[in-house]
Amino acid sequence: MAENNEKVPIEMIRNIGISAHIDSGKTTLSERILFYTSKIHSIHEVKGKDQVGATMDFMELEREKGITIQSAATYCIWKGFNINLIDTPGHVDFTIEVERALRVLDGAVLVLCSVAGVQSQSITVDRQMKRYKVPRLCFVNKMDRAGANPFRGVQMLREKLRHNAHMVMYPIGAEDQFQGVVDLVQMKAFYFDGDNGENIREEAIPADIKAECDKYREELISAVSEFDDVVADKYLSAQDISVDELRLAIRKGTLSLAFTPVFVGSAYKNKGVQLLLDGVTYYLPSPAEKENVALDQRNSEEPVILKSDSNLPFVGLAFKLEDGRYGQLTYMRCYQGKLDKGDFIVNSTNEKRVKVPRIVRMHADEMNDVEHARAGDIVALFGVECSSGDTFTDGTIKYSMTSMFVPDAVISLAVQPKDKTGETNFSKALNRFTKEDPTFRVHRDEESNQTIISGMGELHLEIYCERMKREYACEVVVGKPQVAYRETIQAKGTFNYTHKKQTGGSGQFARVGGYIEPLPADAVLQYEFVDEITGGVIPRNFIPAVDKGFKEAIKEGRLIGFPIVGVRCVIDDGAFHAVDSSEQAFKTAALMAFREGYERATPVVLEPIMKLEVSAPEEFQGSVMGQVNQRRGVIVNSGTQDGYAVIEAEVPLSDMFGYSTDLRSATQGKGEFTMEFMKYAPAPRNVQDELIKKHQEAKAKKA
């Protein structure tokens, strides 16, 4: 494989990810891609009686639960193209896996279920693709399911995601009558014969759908004529457009992010996957066509456009860490230059120089050694200690690439090993997990002496507790889930605090005056410090100490002890003493002044509000809505499609614990839901009073 890789020109490399809402068939699609590219020789399913399990779901836990937890990387060859493929999780609790994959990929395949169309997680994934400017194709999967309707899927792409989406494939039949697809570019019908759909049969378009196919091809040409002058001219003068001309126009539209080609098929029934692979090679960019920017640390972070050229200085981004059987495995995307086994590379974050002892290309959990990697490759390195998101160079330059967006944790649990003997393994596991997953956080609560783990949802933390038990033989005792509340202010609060302390020798003196006020709702920063001191009433060298005091104060609110967000602290008055004033005195004065202002600024508790989407058979719609209302949920949207009710709501996280069990029992196990963090909002007065009361009781106990 290494030799082959050397000979493949960069135009023939594709780095793609497969992303979608949970249960849209991403892993099944990855399995078929590997089969058709001869990477595996038999197909295994995600769920069911198949004991082997899908290749890309190689963790035992993934096979048991039938979900993808970690993104898995592999590579394959299709018609001479080298395809690096990352299968990402669909569950919102593992959103960081999608985030970091999209950060380093050049293109993506957005998979939709032909029955459900665009679902809540499809919207999140789409937002992530837009954040990293990733061109995408759409694959409407599960055409064999009852209620399959790809045309509604295209409509939802346009309405819900604002995509300029058009079909490049037209289905022949649907549900149990789904037989194959028509390629609207070539205007030919394709059928997939053989046990696994490996024999492709090309035929004329069936007469009964010919008129429809003509109509959709006309729409496609009209849409892409905007991106290509040749197609536009020929379209306007009603001339024939060749297959190559049409493909080039679709490619230009896709790469400009202003067009989404839509493919249809059924990965489970082995239909349409090979044509999707052709689409990846025709319409998605090579590494050379995607603009990647680094910041030059030696030139006041001046942006530099990286070139996929093997002769330039090396630049690579470590985007994912994994603790494997042989130590830490560092997944790296090479953006510029080349990397040989035995080379020395420099970590731009801490300037450490490390040797690369081994380079491998990953195929799920198998590895194949290679001698070198070059611009455009995704490889894994052994023996390179670093953190997720570090940039590496060859040392001649000092560039850093912007890291990926890491969402805040919304839920915490207190955990401890069941018996004392497990403590070493417990801390080993926590160290490894925090390194691997930036959304998994650990801290020690000084007051209660408990270890607190925080993450993206109940399932996220449950999986890590289960992994500690399996991979580290360390069973853990889990406390009650803790919601990540915040505090803020709703009005302006003035302060004028004098800190005086007289002991033998020099004392402490500092006076700080000013006010605190709420930041606007759309402010990016959660804390702002404004210095309006004039006339030197507080000497310049003490101003940073005041800022430090305020920062200390916002770590713990006075209502329920959670961090304070959305405040601007302004100082405009003060006093100092030539002998008794010190940095410590001003820091303490600022801390106490903030507390004084906070009491006057109408403080409130903020609670995390989740975006909830529930789908269940129509007959249970009433009880599902009732449950959401009981949990203080606000129903934003509800509708039915194909016998299923879909309810969208905004619900406080604190009322959502144990919801999955309740939903299952109310819907005979047929209801499904997804939930993701949406915003913080003030808690109702009764909830706030209850939280304050609990906080006071806990403080009294400790006292």
Side-chain angles (χ1 to χ4, degrees), residues 95-140:
T95 189
I96 191 68
E97 291 286 336
V98 187
E99 199 76 47
R100 58 171 144 213
L102 291 174
R103 170 68 185 83
V104 298
L105 292 170
D106 304 320
V109 177
L110 174 64
V111 183
L112 295 185
C113 166
S114 65
V115 180
V118 172
Q119 293 163 277
S120 61
Q121 194 58 19
S122 326
I123 298 170
T124 305
V125 168
D126 180 65
R127 200 167 56 231
Q128 291 170 321
M129 288 180 187
K130 283 176 178 155
R131 183 180 293 136
Y132 300 113
K133 298 187 172 61
V134 178
R136 73 290 238 180
L137 314 176
C138 178
F139 182 63
V140 179

Side-chain angles (χ1 to χ4, degrees), residues 118 123 155-162 613 648:
V118 172
I123 298 170
Q155 203 50 44
M156 289 170 90
L157 276 172
R158 291 172 188 166
E159 288 168 8
K160 283 194 166 185
L161 301 182
R162 306 266 184 280
E613 187 179 284
E648 289 172 33

Side-chain angles (χ1 to χ4, degrees), residues 219-391:
E219 279 183 20
L220 173 67
I221 293 170
S222 166
V224 297
S225 62
E226 283 179 43
F227 309 106
D228 188 284
D229 294 342
V230 175
V231 172
D233 291 346
K234 286 194 170 184
Y235 176 60
L236 291 171
S237 56
Q239 293 177 46
D240 280 346
I241 294 161
S242 74
V243 168
D244 289 344
E245 286 166 344
L246 185 48
R247 279 187 185 146
L248 184 62
I250 296 172
R251 180 179 180 78
K252 283 180 180 172
T254 308
L255 297 193
S256 72
L257 304 176
F259 181 78
T260 307
V262 180
F263 293 74
V264 296
S266 163
Y268 185 59
K269 294 286 188 209
N270 312 313
K271 288 180 171 57
V273 177
Q274 297 96 320
L275 300 184
L276 174 68
L277 276 169
D278 286 341
V280 165
T281 64
Y282 292 138
Y283 308 130
L284 288 181
S286 73
E289 289 167 301
K290 181 102 190 290
E291 185 176 287
N292 292 298
V293 179
L295 304 174
D296 189 345
Q297 299 295 314
R298 291 178 184 156
N299 186 11
S300 57
E301 300 217 332
E302 189 65 32
V304 185
I305 292 175
L306 300 175
K307 294 186 177 72
S308 298
D309 182 338
S310 300
N311 300 315
L312 290 171
F314 174 75
V315 180
L317 179 75
F319 66 94
K320 176 176 158 70
L321 310 179
E322 220 173 75
D323 210 0
R325 298 189 290 268
Y326 312 105
Q328 182 173 305
L329 190 61
T330 305
Y331 283 82
M332 188 172 289
R333 162 74 200 261
C334 307
Y335 284 99
Q336 182 176 284
K338 67 180 195 313
L339 182 64
D340 293 332
K341 187 173 160 180
D343 276 1
F344 281 92
I345 52 176
V346 176
N347 186 336
S348 292
T349 315
N350 54 21
E351 304 212 2
K352 272 192 183 158
R353 193 162 174 259
V354 287
K355 186 178 181 180
V356 179
R358 189 177 170 200
I359 306 175
V360 294
R361 294 188 68 141
M362 297 303 293
H363 170 45
D365 60 345
E366 294 168 20
M367 32 194 107
N368 303 303
D369 280 271
V370 291
E371 292 300 313
H372 10 241
R374 59 191 176 133
D377 284 343
I378 292 177
V379 290
L381 314 178
F382 273 107
V384 175
E385 280 294 314
C386 65
S387 298
S388 192
D390 285 356
T391 305

